[in-house]
DNA sequence: CACAATACGGAGACTGTCTCCGTTTTAGCA
DNA sequence: TGCTAAAACGGAGACAGTCTCCGTATTGTG
């Protein structure tokens, strides 16, 4: 079991994370890491020791997203709405979360099928959340046969990615409606 | 009317483009531009004079993609297949083309709704091609009411982007099937 | 309070982007 | 053909971001 962090280490770790959250939200996940270090009041070396890559940093920030996404999935199921509404609501929440920082959605797309990525585990947690929703509707017989949760997840992440990348700020609703129509039993 | 390029300019322009095509295919659209210049046997200044940004270079390479995409759309229509097959075929061709260089798909997603992008016009050409296919099926009454060609385009580009980004090389077919089911009249 | 373990931080190596400007090439004209 | 203005070249180098190395500072434990 890993021994606890030294006090100064913990302090810097937290400070970096808090700063990164602000900067990434302001300017997207492509912001300069040295810049984040400077604004956090630490040297670049310190940042890189705690977070060897940009991915590792994004990953750490995503920690609470996964929790919220999981909760949203269960909340969606609890509503007991019919398939269409439940899915639309769930997908919209999911997209809201993963586009919290510009650029995050496409990183998630990349990590989803890459076990070597530090984000892989978090993607799995979100994937599990999605699976719960899909399975719930599936056993209720509300979905077309052969719908695969992993593919649904990819598809919705793709929509998120398009919305995030798009210069115009796009309404995802119409795209999600197509996806939902493709999933629920006609 | 613009006077013709000088012989040396034309020569270098072509050489850069040919080299970029090779390098982008080998290593994706993030390859170093100076590297491309070097391999093309020209100075960086020359590359940047012809193509002020990376986008401009990618855009120039896309020239023949748009032609092929257009032709594919018309070919798909000409098959006279039922909606499902026609769309699946068309979407797969489309994705094949826009993922020819790794990273291109997401650039296209970004350019699609950004009139300031140098790629915008090419995206419109591809968008028109897609619209022809969709309209053709729509007047034949084979689609759900309210299907919007622009959104279909975004959705399919999103699938392309996911496939392109994904570490594993993904089969796009299952995702496209969902999309198609969401579009054609149940 | 001493000292070993741990962490810090910033100088600087390295890589990629992009520009400026002295030099070379070209095309048109005598 | 030879001359010249205009056009294009190319590479040195300014700049920005990534990431590392190692001398210095901080921590917590015996």
């Amino acid at each position: 079991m890993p021994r606890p962090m030294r006090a100064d280490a913990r302090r810097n770790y937290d400070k970096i994370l808090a700063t990164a959250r602000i900067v990434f939200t302001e300017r997207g996940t492509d912001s300069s890491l040295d810049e984040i270090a400077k604004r956090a009041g630490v040297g670049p070396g310190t940042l890189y020791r705690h977070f060897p890559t940009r991915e590792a940093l994004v990953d750490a920030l995503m920690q609470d997203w996964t929790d919220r996404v999981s909760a949203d999935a269960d909340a969606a199921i609890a509503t007991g709405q019919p398939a269409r509404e439940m899915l639309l609501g769930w997908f919209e929440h999911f997209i809201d979360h993963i586009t919290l920082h510009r650029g995050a959605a496409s990183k998630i797309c990349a990590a989803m099928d890459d076990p070597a990525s530090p984000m892989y585990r978090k993607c799995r947690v979100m994937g599990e959340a999605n699976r719960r929703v899909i399975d719930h509707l599936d056993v209720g017989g509300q979905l077309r046969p052969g719908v695969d949760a992993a593919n649904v997840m990819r598809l919705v992440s793709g929509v998120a990615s398009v919305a995030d990348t798009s210069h115009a700020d796009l309404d995802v609703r119409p795209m999600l409606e197509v996806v939902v129509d493709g999933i629920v039993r006609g």
Side-chain angles (χ1 to χ4, degrees), chain A residues 24 62 69 106 133 142 161:
Chain A
F24 279 175
M62 277 179 52
V69 165
S106 71
V133 178
Q142 300 190 65
S161 183

Side-chain angles (χ1 to χ4, degrees), chain A residues 69-70 73-74 77 90 121-135 149 153:
Chain A
V69 165
S70 262
D74 297 327
I77 292 171
W90 154 242
R121 298 188 136 240
K122 309 254 155 78
C123 286
R124 285 192 58 92
V125 172
M126 296 195 284
E128 278 311 311
N130 178 61
R131 182 182 303 281
R132 288 202 294 283
V133 178
I134 299 296
D135 280 358
M153 169 93 171

Side-chain angles (χ1 to χ4, degrees), chain A residues 47-66:
Chain A
L47 187 149
Y48 283 96
R49 192 164 344 92
H50 286 302
F51 308 101
T53 64
R54 163 176 265 105
E55 287 243 306
L57 182 52
V58 174
D59 178 61
L61 283 176
M62 277 179 52
Q63 182 56 63
D64 37 294
W65 299 7
T66 60

Side-chain angles (χ1 to χ4, degrees), chain A residues 40-181:
Chain A
V42 304
T46 301
L47 187 149
Y48 283 96
R49 192 164 344 92
H50 286 302
F51 308 101
T53 64
R54 163 176 265 105
E55 287 243 306
L57 182 52
V58 174
D59 178 61
L61 283 176
M62 277 179 52
Q63 182 56 63
D64 37 294
W65 299 7
T66 60
D67 301 342
R68 279 186 256 162
V69 165
S70 262
D72 279 348
D74 297 327
I77 292 171
T79 63
Q81 290 173 318
R84 258 189 82 84
E85 284 71 41
M86 187 186 295
L87 285 174
L88 277 172
W90 154 242
F91 289 161
E92 282 193 330
H93 276 121
F94 177 70
I95 290 179
D96 278 352
H97 279 121
I98 70 169
T99 55
L100 222 54
H101 310 322
R102 185 154 283 236
S106 71
K107 281 186 202 303
I108 287 171
C109 287
M112 210 154 36
D113 295 291
D114 175 16
S117 163
M119 279 192 247
Y120 181 67
R121 298 188 136 240
K122 309 254 155 78
C123 286
R124 285 192 58 92
V125 172
M126 296 195 284
E128 278 311 311
N130 178 61
R131 182 182 303 281
R132 288 202 294 283
V133 178
I134 299 296
D135 280 358
H136 171 80
L137 294 172
D138 202 24
V139 299
Q142 300 190 65
L143 303 187
R144 291 171 191 266
V147 167
D148 172 38
N151 271 320
V152 171
M153 169 93 171
R154 289 194 194 98
L155 208 37
V156 177
S157 305
V159 172
S161 183
V162 170
D164 182 54
T165 310
S166 173
H167 200 260
D169 62 334
L170 221 54
D171 182 15
V172 294
R173 190 81 181 207
M175 280 183 273
L176 291 180
E177 281 174 349
V178 171
V179 173
V180 168
D181 284 336

